[in-house]
């Protein structure tokens, strides 16, 4: 069975499916099998990163799949230790060699690492790689509005995507309003809060029972209705299919408000505040 996933258009014209597959920890042959099964189920957007050490696995799944390359949207990310301009240029090339792909649809700066103060250089490298056809669309992860405003001020270009932590326990309301006003699409990382207590939450359980859906489906539908693109990771073909079977029901405004009440100021999974947390 294969599900047809709706698409949206980013501020630079690239279209993306409204839900994608996370691939953190999907490595090697088992990882390639899992990603291939997701593509068979209907996933077209695949999220990897240089630091996940599985760009090769993603490339292998793309080659195993019968879906034409131009229908897929493959994302990778630049690590913090390679944000200096020359290193960023080489790393983008290395990312492509690892995946054995000619281009990435989307390439993101993985963390701003503001203390290091090199993300504008990295952004310039992404802009140049886009010009030379190695990347179709460029974006960021974990950037705060102040970081994005600086990119725009210093280079005249803003990201198409900002991939941030977003789930019912940390719903990023202020960030969502700012991104909507600035026409930047949000992708939600750890959209299921890594299958933690959120999947046992009573409020979500009641909403799920009412719609005859699972809690994961309710959460992923909630992301969709917020206008964010969730990228749930699953290694299981059954759960992959479950996670994209969200286009045959909708949440009411009351249900959306009930879910909004679950957010907590300290709701981040690992307290990774991009203002101070750094990842290399
Ligand atoms: N940009 C960044 O800084 C950043 C940071 C973190 C993550 N990410 C990206 O975001 C992706 C998703 O985040 P994540 O992997 O941290 O967490 P997640 O997608 O919220 O949760 C993944 C966990 O949920 C389980 N799961 C998936 N579907 C389920 C279902 N229907 N029912 C029950 N359990 C289910 C998975 O187990 P099974 O595999 O066994 O199904 C796995 O343990 C990552 O894989 C990565 O691509 C980006």
């Amino acid at each position: 069975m294969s599900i047809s996933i709706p698409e949206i258009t980013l501020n630079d014209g690239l279209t993306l499916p409204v839900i994608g597959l996370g691939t953190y920890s999907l490595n090697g042959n088992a990882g390639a099998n899992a990603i291939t099964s997701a593509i068979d189920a209907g996933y077209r957007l695949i999220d990897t990163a240089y630091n996940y050490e599985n760009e090769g696995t993603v490339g292998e799944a793309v080659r195993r799949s019968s879906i034409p390359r131009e229908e897929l949207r493959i994302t990778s990310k630049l690590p913090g230790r390679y944000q200096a301009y020359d290193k960023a240029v080489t790393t983008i090339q290395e990312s492509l060699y690892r995946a054995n792909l000619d281009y990435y649809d989307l390439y993101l700066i993985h963390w701003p690492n503001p203390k290091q103060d090199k993300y504008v250089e990295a952004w310039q490298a992404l802009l140049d790689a886009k010009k030379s056809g190695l990347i179709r669309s460029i974006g960021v992860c974990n950037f705060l509005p102040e970081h994005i405003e600086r990119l725009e001020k210093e280079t005249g270009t803003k990201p198409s995507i900002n991939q941030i932590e977003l789930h019912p326990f940390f719903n990023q309301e202020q960030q969502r309003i700012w991104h909507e006003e600035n026409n930047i699409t949000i992708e939600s990382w750890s959209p299921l809060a890594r299958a933690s207590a959120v999947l046992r939450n009573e409020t979500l359980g009641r909403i799920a029972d009412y719609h005859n859906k699972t809690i994961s489906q309710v959460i992923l539908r909630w992301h969709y209705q917020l206008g964010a693109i969730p990228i749930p990771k699953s290694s299981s073909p059954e759960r992959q299919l479950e996670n994209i079977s969200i286009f045959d029901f909708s949440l009411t405004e009351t249900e959306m408000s009930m879910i909004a009440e679950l957010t907590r100021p300290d709701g981040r999974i690992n307290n990774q505040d991009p203002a101070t947390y750094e990842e290399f």
Side-chain angles (χ1 to χ4, degrees):
M1 181 173 171
S2 172
I3 306 273
S4 176
I5 299 175
E7 290 187 337
I8 56 155
T9 303
L10 304 181
N11 63 21
D12 60 5
L14 184 76
T15 56
L16 280 195
V18 297
I19 182 166
L21 180 77
T23 69
Y24 181 69
S25 82
L26 299 179
N27 295 69
N29 188 48
N33 286 339
I35 298 165
T36 307
S37 86
I39 295 173
D40 289 344
Y43 288 80
R44 296 292 176 266
L45 170 64
I46 314 285
D47 183 79
T48 178
Y50 192 95
N51 274 352
Y52 302 169
E53 299 184 337
N54 66 355
E55 290 165 308
T57 302
V58 169
E60 173 65 14
V62 169
R63 278 184 298 285
R64 286 185 194 178
S65 137
S66 56
I67 302 300
R69 172 71 185 87
E70 62 273 15
E71 288 181 25
L72 298 169
R73 297 287 182 268
I74 312 297
T75 308
S76 195
K77 316 192 189 86
L78 179 78
R81 64 189 179 283
Y82 298 140
Q83 286 188 356
Y85 180 84
D86 290 345
K87 285 187 178 163
V89 168
T90 312
T91 303
I92 294 165
Q93 295 162 355
E94 180 66 23
S95 268
L96 286 165
Y97 297 154
R98 288 177 174 200
N100 197 8
L101 295 174
D102 298 329
Y103 66 91
Y104 279 103
D105 298 278
L106 199 54
Y107 206 83
L108 313 175
I109 300 177
H110 208 146
W111 283 88
N113 288 7
K115 270 185 272 170
Q116 181 178 248
D117 196 22
K118 290 226 180 320
Y119 63 80
V120 181
E121 281 187 42
W123 186 244
Q124 192 57 56
L126 264 62
L127 280 165
D128 291 347
K130 185 180 176 193
K131 257 188 231 145
S132 58
L134 300 181
I135 304 172
R136 293 177 73 197
S137 181
I138 57 177
V140 295
C141 305
N142 303 302
F143 272 45
L144 298 172
E146 71 211 52
H147 306 137
I148 295 179
E149 280 163 356
R150 189 166 159 214
L151 290 186
E152 206 175 352
K153 191 162 153 248
E154 296 195 25
T155 70
T157 315
K158 65 181 174 189
S160 58
I161 287 277
N162 190 9
Q163 187 181 109
I164 59 175
E165 177 174 355
L166 203 170
H167 44 74
F169 288 167
F170 198 70
N171 77 20
Q172 299 267 27
E173 187 182 9
Q174 291 311 316
Q175 292 273 349
R176 284 189 282 108
I177 294 167
W178 186 89
H179 283 74
E180 196 174 340
E181 284 169 0
N182 286 276
N183 192 21
I184 297 169
T185 302
I186 288 180
E187 279 187 342
S188 313
W189 64 253
S190 297
L192 300 173
R194 291 199 188 133
S196 55
V198 77
L199 294 192
R200 298 183 296 278
N201 181 270
E202 269 180 37
T203 303
L204 292 167
R206 277 200 306 276
I207 298 173
D209 288 347
Y210 179 78
H211 291 282
N212 205 13
K213 288 283 178 184
T214 65
I215 289 184
S216 299
Q217 289 170 324
V218 166
I219 295 174
L220 294 166
R221 177 77 200 186
W222 169 79
H223 286 273
Y224 171 56
Q225 289 186 211
L226 291 180
I229 299 179
I231 46 167
K233 172 259 168 183
S234 180
S235 54
S236 131
E238 293 75 28
R239 287 189 287 281
Q240 290 169 352
L241 187 62
E242 173 187 335
N243 290 348
I244 53 173
S245 301
I246 58 166
F247 301 108
D248 54 357
F249 77 112
S250 57
L251 299 170
T252 63
E253 270 179 43
T254 308
E255 289 167 333
M256 292 295 284
S257 307
M258 286 161 73
I259 301 173
E261 280 172 24
L262 302 177
T263 198
R264 309 187 299 236
D266 63 348
R268 290 185 195 276
I269 300 168
N270 280 330
N271 199 23
Q272 295 174 334
D273 179 350
T276 47
Y277 176 81
E278 294 187 297
E279 200 169 287
F280 293 91

